[in-house]
Amino acid sequence: MKLRLFNAKIWDGEKLFDGELRTEADKISRVSPVSTLDWQDWDREIDCGGNLIMPSFKNGHTHSPMAFLRSHAEDLPLQEWLSEKVFPSEALLTDEDCYDLTKLACAEYFSGGTTYVCEMYGHTRAVAKALADSGVAATVTEGILDFDGSPESIEAKIDDSVKYYKNFPARVRYGISIHAQYTCGEGTLSAVKRAVDKYKMPLFAHVSETKREVISCVEQTGETPLAYLAAKGLFDCGGAAFHCVHVTSEEMDTMARKGIAAVTCPCSNLKLASGIAPLAEMKKRGVNVGIGTDGAASNNALDMFRETYLAAALQKYATGDAAAMNAEFVLKAATRASIYGVDDMDVLVPGAAADFVMIDLGAPNMQPGNDILADVVYAAGKHNVLMTVAGGRIVFESGRADVGEDYDALKERCRAIAKRIADARART
Ligand SMILES: [Zn+2]
């Protein structure tokens, strides 16, 4: 597919200018402040009408199949919600369910301008196939925990996964992850550490999402979770820590030093009363920050506009300083994939992945256009997305997402999955 998008306002991830963008196959072939007309065999020439083209959103933490639990069991305390509602329902999912539910999530990602996700879920291969079939770029991870078996079988599982995903489309890659410190004993952690060393791969993990988790880690090990995992060498090749609501100053310095990114999930942290991650302090200390939605069960939307707004606004509230966070910082945090080890998706330049979004600058909520980046962060919503392009393919346009199959049939299958599981649970 060859696309030419002209008459655009472009934020390439660094600077704002008027111009045009061209793609060839899955890459950007040209980004230019001048429109030069030369004959080429375009598949589509799109007059952007002065609307904004910017890098797509990169959702740094999600559990895509959890879409079936959206608004399933609301307004409960965290532990009760998890152990009585979430875990028993998830236990009834099949690979086929997870494939369909992930595709449903992909439709939601595309409709909100997201084209990359850092995924953690079971039934991982079905999830990865759905992401690949939809065209979402991804790092898929398994969220290893003690439940996965002996240290030897965990090491073998990671070896097998590294091999398996070599045959996947290049946009979907494998990442090593543990679920969290509190679900991994010494044996599991040393098996994962051996894999990190062997493959020189970064590690992904939930870290310090709740106060309770931090307190019990200190009781058991004498250390806070990130410090404990880092001391064991699990982050020796960098990585990303999800949530980081209750990290200490020393841990933030370790994160900056070791190249461990903090992925904040503000909606989920608010809704589960977990707290507010100290992003302003991380920014000061040079920690890389990413933004994610977490799963639809706890959020409940997979909407990066909402997350980005809250990532900025909550810092202002938490610090009592309206200058503690700015629009450009959070927008970069929401659109960069390099912190997850993916290097060609941060900025719109020739050779980079053709992953971008067109935002309606003519909408009433985007007037008068005093500061476009501030408008995107503080005023825009997913209703302002006119088009999403993923890997050079138009995957959202005129209000419809294209995940490679009929959306209405997919939606009905997903509703049936949710009903089947709810009915089975009601009988127990
Ligand atoms: Zn999570």
Side-chain angles (χ1 to χ4, degrees):
M1 179 89 90
K2 272 184 168 183
L3 303 175
R4 175 180 180 240
L5 297 103
F6 63 99
N7 189 21
K9 179 75 73 186
I10 298 174
W11 181 61
D12 64 4
E14 294 287 356
K15 55 197 182 306
L16 200 61
F17 53 92
D18 297 316
E20 70 166 64
L21 183 149
R22 301 175 177 192
T23 72
E24 196 168 333
D26 57 349
K27 299 273 189 270
I28 293 169
S29 57
R30 176 170 170 163
V31 183
S32 158
V34 284
S35 277
T36 42
L37 267 179
D38 55 84
W39 184 87
Q40 283 205 42
D41 195 8
W42 303 108
D43 292 294
R44 283 274 299 272
E45 277 193 279
I46 297 159
D47 183 346
C48 299
N51 288 314
L52 177 69
I53 289 180
M54 57 170 257
S56 61
F57 287 107
K58 315 300 183 310
N59 186 341
H61 181 54
T62 185
H63 311 284
S64 298
M66 288 186 98
F68 83 109
L69 285 174
R70 187 191 325 258
S71 309
H72 166 65
E74 293 301 331
D75 311 322
L76 294 171
L78 174 65
Q79 283 313 317
E80 186 184 333
W81 173 77
L82 261 181
S83 55
E84 290 175 28
K85 301 291 179 184
V86 175
F87 294 151
S89 298
E90 286 184 315
L92 301 175
L93 286 171
T94 66
D95 279 353
E96 292 73 26
D97 295 339
C98 287
Y99 180 88
D100 281 342
L101 292 165
T102 300
K103 276 206 150 176
L104 180 72
C106 290
E108 190 174 355
Y109 297 140
F110 288 156
S111 70
T114 295
T115 71
Y116 166 89
V117 299
C118 190
E119 172 72 44
M120 183 197 283
Y121 211 66
H123 303 272
T124 315
R125 292 179 184 190
V127 172
K129 181 161 172 22
L131 292 165
D133 289 352
S134 301
V136 172
T139 303
V140 291
T141 80
E142 292 151 330
I144 283 166
L145 30 69
D146 288 343
F147 184 71
D148 286 303
S150 67
E152 294 70 33
S153 60
I154 286 169
E155 248 185 298
K157 177 177 171 142
I158 297 174
D159 287 343
D160 192 41
S161 293
V162 169
K163 247 186 254 144
Y164 179 81
Y165 287 101
K166 283 203 172 117
N167 298 320
F168 252 68
R171 282 170 66 80
V172 175
R173 58 190 77 201
Y174 174 67
I176 300 175
S177 77
I178 56 166
H179 172 260
Q181 175 275 328
Y182 60 92
T183 44
C184 292
E186 295 274 334
T188 301
L189 292 181
S190 30
V192 174
K193 159 70 176 153
R194 284 195 292 278
V196 163
D197 289 345
K198 184 164 159 190
Y199 297 109
K200 302 271 175 287
M201 281 169 77
L203 181 89
F204 301 91
H206 289 107
V207 172
S208 300
E209 179 177 358
T210 64
K211 248 194 202 127
R212 174 177 156 160
E213 166 193 341
V214 176
I215 291 167
S216 73
C217 184
V218 171
E219 280 170 5
Q220 279 168 29
T221 70
E223 286 183 285
T224 46
L226 189 125
Y228 174 73
L229 295 172
K232 289 204 163 301
L234 282 142
F235 286 114
D236 280 359
C237 296
F242 308 131
H243 298 298
C244 298
V245 176
H246 301 285
V247 286
T248 64
S249 312
E250 294 73 36
E251 287 180 316
M252 288 184 232
D253 289 339
T254 303
M255 295 173 83
R257 207 173 54 245
K258 283 184 167 275
I260 307 164
V263 181
T264 188
C265 306
C267 281
S268 173
N269 296 155
L270 277 185
K271 194 155 167 287
L272 296 177
S274 305
I276 300 170
L279 299 192
E281 191 59 30
M282 290 176 187
K283 177 170 173 270
K284 256 190 234 155
R285 290 172 186 266
V287 179
N288 282 325
V289 173
I291 301 178
T293 56
D294 210 355
S298 60
N299 186 311
N300 298 359
L302 308 175
D303 177 354
M304 289 292 288
F305 284 95
R306 213 162 80 149
E307 303 297 333
T308 307
Y309 171 82
L310 280 178
L314 287 175
Q315 290 311 297
K316 298 165 186 289
Y317 167 76
T319 58
D321 175 8
M325 190 49 72
N326 63 70
E328 188 177 356
F329 182 87
V330 290
L331 201 54
K332 285 182 173 174
T335 53
R336 305 217 147 168
S338 50
I339 58 173
Y340 314 109
V342 180
D343 290 328
D344 65 344
M345 297 187 88
D346 285 0
V347 285
L348 304 179
V349 290
D355 284 62
F356 51 87
V357 55
M358 194 200 298
I359 307 276
D360 185 359
L361 295 185
N365 64 314
M366 301 298 273
Q367 304 314 311
N370 288 324
D371 179 337
I372 289 173
L373 297 193
D375 284 341
V376 172
V377 172
Y378 298 124
K382 61 184 292 186
H383 56 281
N384 295 119
V385 174
L386 295 174
M387 177 183 285
T388 305
V389 175
R393 196 167 67 84
I394 297 170
V395 292
F396 179 79
E397 192 179 16
S398 310
R400 297 292 282 187
D402 175 6
V403 292
E405 63 174 286
D406 180 64
Y407 172 73
D408 291 323
L410 173 68
K411 180 185 75 186
E412 289 313 316
R413 290 204 302 279
C414 291
R415 283 175 167 250
I417 293 165
K419 183 170 185 317
R420 187 194 84 223
I421 291 177
D423 287 352
R425 294 270 301 124
R427 286 196 297 272
T428 56

